[in-house]
Amino acid sequence: MKALICIGHVPDTTSKIKFTDNDTKFDTTDIKYIIGPYEELALTRLLDLRDAGTDMHITTVTVGTQETEPTIRKALAMGADDAVRVNAEASDNLFIAKQIAEVFKNGDYDIIITGKESIDYNGGQLEGMIAEFLNLPSVSGASKFDIEGDKILLEQEIEGGTLKLEASFPFVVSAGKGFCPEPEPRIPNMRGIMTARKKPLQVVEPVAKEAVTEIIKYHLPEPKPACKMIDPDNVEELVRLLHEEAKVI
Amino acid sequence: MAILIYTQNYDGKFKKSVFELVTYGVAVAKELGTKVTAVTTGKPDTEILKELGKYGAEKVISITNEELNDFSAQAYAYATEQVAKKINADLIIFGNNPYGRAIAPRLSVKLNAGLAAGVTALPSSVSPFTVKKRVFSGKAFADVVIKSETKIITLNQNSYKVEENPVDITIEEFSAEIPEGAYAVKPVEIVKSSGKMSVTDAEILVSGGRGLKGPENWGMIEEMAEILGAGTSCSRPVSDLDWRPHEEHVGQTGKVVAPNLYIAIGISGAIQHLAGVNGSKVMVVINTDPEAPFFEAADYGIIGDAFEVVPKLNEAFKKFKAEN
């Protein structure tokens, strides 16, 4: 089986977010980049399945400039076999999805896996868009993922319960919490890092697709007034404030 | 000019989040000088459909296809596309929930429509069409311009105040053409959950963290939730340790919630946790550690031992509820 997994290059979850150029650009100063947490979860699951005996070739795909290559190399060091980078700035989602659909068409992949959402632009749109470009079935935010022969067994949390699903290849899925049941972080060792340097990383140019969305300005949340401290021996005061001042009870 | 609102019903009933979408859509329609049409599936009763009129929808299109009783993103996208074209929709609004997240991206490709996901407010401008959306997991917001002729947005839950605005509503039945192959993903089984309030629907959440020391100490959390008519949630370590079920985990990698009131007990407030709850209107934190980062984000705080403070607070809430 050949899997194509989308690897996002996103600011570390603990990053302090700032903007420059009159709040029109994300300030990348001092930002440490990581593989998107949901994509890392998905990759970990694929590697676990492979370790357990599923025959699998894992290719990563990233839409991004050369700056994303250390993140891609990290995915290779974790155990992916090779990588494709579409050499373009990742901004508009339809543009990104179109690029990934093209990469899929140009290889003989059986499945595309994305994270449930990126933690920077929080779109959560890629898997549906890619699937639609390719006219393939998809499941978003799968909370369980198994492969049994030519079948994919999935679970998805829905209103009031869990939905168990069955799909066949080719297929598109986005990984939510639970996708990898007991994720052991795969911290690349020295050998992994050395081998990753030699693994193929193919750079392709993007296909044309007009951007239909554009971010024109960023805002930080309004600073909150200082927390009102309440004496632990006077909890009635909290009840009064929640009722009279905050009006939430 | 027309606005289409995707209104999901659960077992033939609408939830408050749907009325929020309709109220929001009506406000946008006023700005654009147009009207709101709702679309739904599964043939809910006429009386139920009429509820949408109470919030200002002038028409609801009820898609009658029985195959849509099972969810398939592909099939739903086909059906929604046909309705959108039928009414010439130039703005389509979904809730930012599992249905919206599954259908909206596909519709975006079908209609070459720009999609802004996780919108939190009314458009700041209708030309160019500009909306505010959540980015960096709630650490910031962005103004996004959608340039395409047809536009799609998904609205974050609890972003807009539900208001009644009664109008006469027309109900129209519609049979969509669903191509074969749109049901390639087969539902096998639905495992119903405990029937408790879901964390994303709760208007008040009582949330517990590792400070509670063990699952056996959740009685007082559940008691508070019961007194307040609230849901219960938890931090990541608590769900990782299996003290509480995974569906209660709120935070960056769990569920993102925006209740009116979030009460955090024994949760330090790591940045990843705050990313999942910073949309809450009011936050209360109870923690022994005065240096806990949650105190910087919260509106009200009590420095104290949860095992002493929570039982007292439960008594105070009980007294308040009895008097109000």
Side-chain angles (χ1 to χ4, degrees), chain A residues 111-114 127-128 130-131 134 136-139 170-174:
Chain A
I111 189 166
I112 304 182
I113 302 158
T114 73
E127 128 276 331
I130 297 166
L134 296 165
L136 290 179
S138 63
V139 163
F171 185 65
V172 186
V173 60
S174 69

Side-chain angles (χ1 to χ4, degrees), chain A:
Chain A
M1 196 203 48
K2 280 191 78 180
L4 183 65
I5 177 167
C6 304
I7 295 293
H9 166 80
V10 297
D12 183 357
T13 51
T14 56
S15 304
K16 201 160 160 42
I17 304 299
K18 294 182 304 260
F19 302 102
T20 61
D21 292 22
N22 204 16
D23 287 339
T24 59
K25 279 204 178 72
F26 175 54
D27 185 353
T28 55
T29 323
D30 297 332
I31 296 285
K32 204 179 120 215
Y33 283 88
I34 56 166
I35 298 176
Y38 291 108
E39 291 101 277
E40 183 167 346
L41 193 69
L43 179 56
T44 308
R45 179 63 182 152
L46 292 186
L47 294 167
D48 285 355
L49 285 171
R50 189 168 71 181
D51 288 351
T54 306
D55 173 39
M56 198 181 324
H57 181 94
I58 304 168
T59 303
T60 70
V61 58
T62 302
V63 178
T65 58
Q66 202 177 357
E67 286 166 23
T68 62
E69 288 200 1
T71 303
I72 300 173
R73 290 281 173 207
K74 191 188 165 203
L76 292 172
M78 280 172 67
D81 296 296
D82 50 16
V84 179
R85 176 170 72 80
V86 181
N87 187 27
E89 199 78 54
S91 53
D92 181 68
N93 277 301
L94 277 176
F95 174 86
I96 299 169
K98 176 82 181 169
Q99 307 310 322
I100 293 166
E102 282 300 309
V103 172
F104 180 84
K105 278 191 219 163
N106 293 330
D108 50 349
Y109 302 103
D110 301 293
I111 189 166
I112 304 182
I113 302 158
T114 73
K116 185 184 83 168
E117 68 169 11
S118 71
I119 57 162
D120 48 2
Y121 293 100
N122 302 105
Q125 307 165 3
L126 275 189
E127 128 276 331
M129 286 179 176
I130 297 166
E132 189 64 34
F133 275 123
L134 296 165
N135 195 24
L136 290 179
S138 63
V139 163
S140 57
S143 55
K144 203 171 174 199
F145 178 80
D146 261 308
I147 297 173
E148 263 179 31
D150 55 359
K151 283 204 164 47
I152 308 154
L153 308 178
L154 304 128
E155 284 184 15
Q156 189 178 30
E157 276 184 36
I158 55 162
E159 193 59 37
T162 305
L163 177 61
K164 296 188 172 194
L165 297 159
E166 197 178 289
S168 45
F169 300 105
F171 185 65
V172 186
V173 60
S174 69
K177 191 179 163 75
F179 195 85
C180 187
E182 275 161 25
E184 285 292 322
R186 291 195 176 237
I187 299 152
N189 56 21
M190 196 39 96
R191 193 169 154 265
I193 295 167
M194 296 304 284
T195 345
R197 282 193 198 155
K198 293 191 195 106
K199 287 183 179 171
L201 194 166
Q202 188 196 355
V203 180
V204 298
E205 289 306 313
V207 293
K209 174 79 189 152
E210 188 197 0
V212 285
T213 57
E214 187 193 356
I215 291 181
I216 53 166
K217 201 171 179 72
Y218 292 98
H219 313 264
L220 291 170
E222 301 282 321
K224 276 214 163 192
C227 183
K228 272 194 191 168
M229 300 311 289
I230 292 139
D231 182 347
D233 292 321
N234 187 15
V235 293
E236 291 75 17
E237 175 65 2
L238 175 63
V239 178
R240 188 189 70 78
L241 287 168
L242 290 177
H243 179 58
E244 289 175 13
E245 187 179 77
K247 298 187 171 67
V248 287
I249 59 167

Side-chain angles (χ1 to χ4, degrees), chain A residues 159, chain B residues 8-15 17-18 97-99 201:
Chain A
E159 193 59 37
Chain B
Q8 177 69 37
N9 64 76
Y10 297 101
D11 297 330
K13 294 201 176 63
F14 292 116
K15 290 192 174 188
S17 55
V18 161
N97 54 41
Y99 289 91
D201 280 336

Side-chain angles (χ1 to χ4, degrees), chain B residues 156-237:
Chain B
N156 273 2
Q157 201 169 327
N158 288 343
S159 294
Y160 202 72
K161 195 173 183 310
V162 179
E163 259 172 47
E164 292 195 11
N165 179 14
V167 293
D168 284 329
I169 184 165
T170 323
I171 300 173
E172 194 181 305
E173 294 202 338
F174 180 79
S175 174
E177 275 177 43
I178 317 262
E180 264 188 56
Y183 273 88
V185 183
K186 300 260 177 293
V188 182
E189 189 191 351
I190 293 177
V191 185
K192 297 245 180 206
S193 58
S194 55
K196 280 187 1 190
M197 193 180 310
S198 86
V199 297
T200 43
D201 280 336
E203 294 192 16
I204 300 177
L205 272 178
V206 183
S207 202
R210 212 166 10 179
L212 290 169
K213 299 195 168 77
E216 66 281 6
N217 297 324
W218 246 261
M220 59 185 187
I221 301 289
E222 282 171 343
E223 187 188 352
M224 186 185 291
E226 199 180 317
I227 300 166
L228 295 174
T232 52
S233 57
C234 68
S235 65
R236 177 172 178 164

